[in-house]
Amino acid sequence: MATKPPENDKPATPRRPAQKPDAAAQPPSDAADAPTKGEASRARAVPMDPKPTGLPAPSAAANAQRPVDADAEPRTAGEPTPRVAVEPSSPDEGRAPSGPARPASTPAPAQSQTPIEAERPSPEPTPEPTEATTTPPEFWPVDEHQVAEAVEEIPEPPAYPPHASLFIVHIAPEMAPVAKVGGLADVVFGLTRELAIRGNHVEIILPKYDTLRYDHIFELHEVFHDLWVPWYEAAIHCTVYFGFVHGRKCFFIEPHSQDDFFNRGSIYGFPDDVLRYAFFSRAAIEFLWRAGKHPDIIHCHDWQTALVPVYLYEIYQRLGMTHPRICLTIHNFAHQGVIGGELLRATGLHQPERFFDHHRLGDNRHPNALNLLKGGVVYANFVTTVSPRYAFETKDQGQGFGLEPTLHAHQVKYGGVVNGIDYDVWNPEIDHHLPVRYNLDSIDGKYDDKRALRHRLMLADNEKPIVAFIGRLDPQKGLELVRHAIFYTLERGGQFVLLGSSPDPAINADFWGLKRMLNDSPDCHLEIGFDDDLAHLIYAGADMMLVPSRFEPCGLTQLIALRYATIPIVRAIGGLADTVFDKDHSTRPLHERNGYVFEHYDQAGLESALGRGLACYYQYPEHFRELMKNAMRADYSWNRPGEDYLNIYDYIRDK
């Protein structure tokens, strides 16, 4: 690999003047290094929409959540902390130094321009909502009382508070459609667009994989040629490229190394994955520093970029990067990036006695291992996961895969925000994959798509309901119950369609055997693989969508199904419980109920929900049609999650 001696042993002069060090942003350190009370700032209040959201705004008295001192005792009772959609914090935790609040209208500190940094836009003005009026033609008979009632029933738009324009950088291992493995890629794609629409300057840093979809990258060109990233006792030469991905500003880092970190034909699945992404995280923050970029917020995703806050507070803050604050989003706790002590020598962190400490990166289950995701939780200024229910389950119900003690210790800066879906992609009203498009007022078009689906898959054209499953054939998705649902649906007079595949050859072989068994059935089709065009048609043509997961952080399948008026049949777990409300047993108003839910992971539980759905389709078709309309009315766009994340950014950025 191309190497030269690392330059970070001495503080170097950034390309633009360093920000004045902010004492409240200090990293976890020994008690002697801890900031005093006068050095931290208090969070400002951000009013929220009166309707409940996935993550209420922090209170005015909430305090900055700086990474805690590993050598100090947990903080004791103190000031209130932000309300999140999980269990409230213990009154014995959460005190932080306080100081005067900064006014809500104060813009982020001005940053000097560099050749590769676009000008940060000014915040867009928020229009004042106007009262709806009704002016009938002169020849209409007018009933003033009816007019007044009609005006009162028109819902007002959400009264979101104005936000200062922020400079936000997302550092992620995936982003649809250029580099996609799972739902993380869709989240980065949708959230960054929503943040940019709201007047923020948003940039994304990704690895330059050899498998990138270059047909979706526009104006790709080199912007930083001589980036040297410290690695082991030397440094690796990197080149940084810039391009637009459907309007999003993206930087791609390409290392020139004999290790070929990102030139391996696929994104994941290699023995050195932890070291590969430890290097990418170091390269990303080295690029920000060398380019003179000082964003207000750095938003990291999953274990692959969880070392970014560690690098920031242990190395780069001392070199002048005192302005950025970090939000870490954990999409799945099952993957945490566990590795041995070699990581410290590779990354230049050294000091094993410091980082193997139980309060920093030391893995909770393996005393001689380091845990990247745990380090991200400890060092980040705020940690989110992808639904409030999943936040509760990971902290209090044993689904944190060993991180439960760490989440409890940092619960005052931990919460859940439900993901959204991109309605420019998943919307039956504009979906170019469909033979017939439809919306709430033309919902009968769905039945034309149902006939088209049957024709494509050579299913019998009859009055039976179609139950579908779309997703990875992974044990997490409840494959035993999927298999049982196929036969149960056929026995109860329905049709079944499956689209999915597995990286596990044994699972694929099992479903290929099932496909051959049912190949002659006119009411069943199993498609082992993935076809995006067919996925859109199944969402539109199916009547019910099965999601019987063992655990589900958020889930996008049920959100897409709702948009297409396809009734979800789900297990009450994680994000499924936050987004699907049972037609018969939910405590929600009737117009908010949108599916069928079961509690226990067994065949009886599945049959209780799926059986009720099939019975309603046959016996109460008018009720089923109302359920379809309720599903389409639900708003799971990025609008509300975008507001929740901006509230989090506002909460941490002035600390």
Side-chain angles (χ1 to χ4, degrees):
M1 63 183 176
T3 63
K4 77 172 186 180
E7 300 178 5
N8 284 359
D9 296 336
K10 299 181 180 179
T13 303
R15 290 182 174 237
R16 60 180 174 185
Q19 300 290 326
K20 182 179 179 180
D22 184 348
Q26 295 301 319
S29 59
D30 297 332
D33 298 327
T36 64
K37 289 189 176 183
E39 294 173 323
S41 301
R42 186 184 303 274
R44 63 184 179 85
V46 180
M48 283 292 291
D49 185 291
K51 297 180 181 179
T53 65
L55 184 63
S59 64
N63 289 306
Q65 297 309 318
R66 297 272 65 78
V68 298
D69 184 356
D71 302 319
E73 294 296 324
R75 292 169 178 168
T76 56
E79 298 154 350
T81 55
R83 293 179 56 200
V84 294
V86 293
E87 286 193 342
S89 305
S90 167
D92 295 330
E93 300 184 20
R95 171 167 294 179
S98 61
R102 194 162 84 175
S105 59
T106 302
Q111 305 295 334
S112 58
Q113 294 291 100
T114 66
I116 61 174
E117 179 179 0
E119 182 179 356
R120 296 172 56 184
S122 59
E124 297 180 359
T126 303
E128 295 291 335
T130 59
E131 183 178 1
T133 58
T134 305
T135 306
E138 295 179 358
F139 54 85
W140 282 4
V142 178
D143 186 329
E144 296 181 357
H145 296 289
Q146 291 181 354
V147 173
E149 291 177 359
V151 172
E152 290 178 357
E153 291 176 359
I154 297 176
E156 295 184 358
Y160 291 135
H163 294 276
S165 178
L166 302 178
F167 178 19
I168 304 166
V169 174
H170 281 253
I171 302 177
E174 304 175 33
M175 188 187 78
V178 294
K180 177 178 177 179
V181 173
L184 185 157
D186 296 304
V187 170
V188 175
F189 184 81
L191 177 57
T192 52
R193 177 178 182 270
E194 180 66 26
L195 296 174
I197 287 174
R198 291 171 177 265
N200 302 287
H201 180 84
V202 182
E203 296 177 354
I204 305 150
I205 301 178
L206 299 160
K208 191 173 183 293
Y209 300 108
D210 58 351
T211 56
L212 285 177
R213 290 283 305 276
Y214 287 98
D215 54 322
H216 290 277
I217 306 176
F218 303 93
E219 300 180 17
L220 183 66
H221 60 282
E222 180 182 309
V223 293
F224 204 106
H225 174 70
D226 206 26
L227 179 68
W228 291 87
V229 180
W231 193 244
Y232 285 96
E233 286 76 28
I236 293 179
H237 180 233
C238 298
T239 302
V240 183
Y241 296 83
F242 175 84
F244 292 95
V245 178
H246 298 279
R248 294 150 181 83
K249 302 177 180 70
C250 298
F251 293 92
F252 302 91
I253 296 179
E254 179 182 42
H256 306 293
S257 166
Q258 62 186 6
D259 294 309
D260 281 335
F261 287 127
F262 306 120
N263 297 317
R264 302 187 181 185
S266 63
I267 293 179
Y268 306 127
F270 303 98
D272 62 342
D273 275 354
V274 175
L275 286 176
R276 291 170 64 221
Y277 287 101
F279 173 81
F280 168 66
S281 297
R282 182 69 188 265
I285 196 165
E286 179 78 11
F287 166 63
L288 291 177
W289 179 59
R290 292 290 181 183
K293 293 176 178 285
H294 292 261
D296 299 300
I297 300 294
I298 299 175
H299 195 145
C300 306
H301 297 269
D302 265 352
W303 67 267
Q304 294 94 323
T305 57
L307 275 184
V308 170
V310 181
Y311 290 139
L312 176 64
Y313 289 117
E314 290 289 346
I315 299 175
Y316 288 87
Q317 190 178 70
R318 300 169 185 171
L319 301 178
M321 287 191 71
T322 60
H323 184 64
R325 301 293 183 266
I326 295 196
C327 176
L328 170 67
T329 294
I330 302 173
H331 299 259
N332 192 331
F333 277 84
H335 310 287
Q336 299 183 5
V338 178
I339 190 174
E342 180 185 2
L343 175 76
L344 300 181
R345 190 168 70 91
T347 58
L349 292 172
H350 305 300
Q351 301 182 32
E353 68 285 351
R354 177 179 178 84
F355 294 105
F356 273 100
D357 186 273
H358 181 73
H359 296 91
R360 287 191 175 85
L361 273 69
D363 188 71
N364 294 341
R365 292 178 171 176
H366 307 93
N368 297 319
L370 299 167
N371 187 313
L372 272 60
L373 192 61
K374 178 180 178 180
V377 172
V378 172
Y379 280 78
N381 304 116
F382 204 93
V383 181
T384 70
T385 190
V386 290
S387 71
R389 176 69 175 260
Y390 189 57
F392 167 72
E393 291 168 350
T394 52
K395 181 170 70 72
D396 295 310
Q397 292 195 328
Q399 291 194 30
F401 291 87
L403 284 184
E404 293 86 353
T406 305
L407 296 176
H408 268 280
H410 297 275
Q411 61 182 324
V412 293
K413 63 173 185 179
Y414 178 54
V417 178
V418 174
N419 285 337
I421 58 173
D422 190 341
Y423 281 179
D424 287 340
V425 176
W426 300 105
N427 187 347
E429 192 170 9
I430 59 174
D431 193 336
H432 66 276
H433 296 277
L434 306 183
V436 177
R437 302 182 183 97
Y438 60 93
N439 57 27
L440 188 60
D441 297 324
S442 58
I443 200 169
D444 287 340
K446 182 176 175 68
Y447 301 114
D448 296 321
D449 292 327
K450 184 175 181 179
R451 282 188 288 272
L453 176 63
R454 283 176 167 151
H455 177 74
R456 176 166 175 172
L457 301 182
M458 294 184 289
L459 297 175
D461 191 1
N462 50 40
E463 299 301 319
K464 294 180 178 180
I466 297 179
V467 179
F469 173 86
I470 299 177
R472 289 179 292 110
L473 299 180
D474 185 280
Q476 171 198 339
K477 301 297 182 181
L479 299 185
E480 304 95 334
L481 296 186
V482 172
R483 187 183 182 98
H484 180 71
I486 295 173
F487 294 100
Y488 182 80
T489 300
L490 298 178
E491 291 171 1
R492 292 291 300 270
Q495 296 180 319
F496 199 96
V497 173
L498 179 144
L499 175 63
S501 63
S502 174
D504 187 336
I507 294 176
N508 265 344
D510 181 54
F511 275 85
W512 271 107
L514 194 59
K515 176 181 174 68
R516 287 188 288 269
M517 179 192 306
L518 298 169
N519 198 46
D520 294 331
S521 171
D523 293 323
C524 184
H525 181 90
L526 308 184
E527 187 74 17
I528 312 302
F530 191 78
D531 183 324
D532 188 58
D533 182 69
L534 179 57
H536 283 254
L537 186 57
I538 293 175
Y539 277 116
D543 297 290
M544 286 166 265
M545 184 64 63
L546 183 67
V547 193
S549 303
R550 284 181 176 273
F551 67 94
E552 192 65 66
C554 178
L556 300 179
T557 302
Q558 82 280 9
L559 303 183
I560 299 171
L562 289 169
R563 188 62 176 173
Y564 284 75
T566 302
I567 305 305
I569 312 292
V570 308
R571 183 166 174 245
I573 197 78
L576 302 176
D578 287 325
T579 54
V580 180
F581 312 108
D582 192 89
K583 171 186 177 294
D584 302 315
H585 304 301
S586 175
T587 58
R588 296 226 171 192
L590 291 176
H591 68 276
E592 294 183 9
R593 303 182 190 184
N594 54 15
Y596 292 93
V597 182
F598 65 98
E599 293 281 345
H600 301 292
Y601 186 81
D602 53 32
Q603 294 181 2
L606 171 69
E607 292 176 4
S608 71
L610 182 54
R612 286 186 290 123
L614 294 170
C616 183
Y617 180 91
Y618 277 120
Q619 299 173 20
Y620 304 99
E622 67 282 0
H623 292 179
F624 196 88
R625 189 177 178 87
E626 285 302 313
L627 201 59
M628 293 167 59
K629 293 181 178 179
N630 288 351
M632 290 201 78
R633 291 189 190 103
D635 180 10
Y636 287 110
S637 68
W638 278 104
N639 183 40
R640 191 173 296 277
E643 182 67 20
D644 288 341
Y645 275 112
L646 285 176
N647 285 332
I648 292 171
Y649 297 163
D650 278 344
Y651 171 61
I652 65 176
R653 74 187 181 95
D654 292 332
K655 308 304 181 185

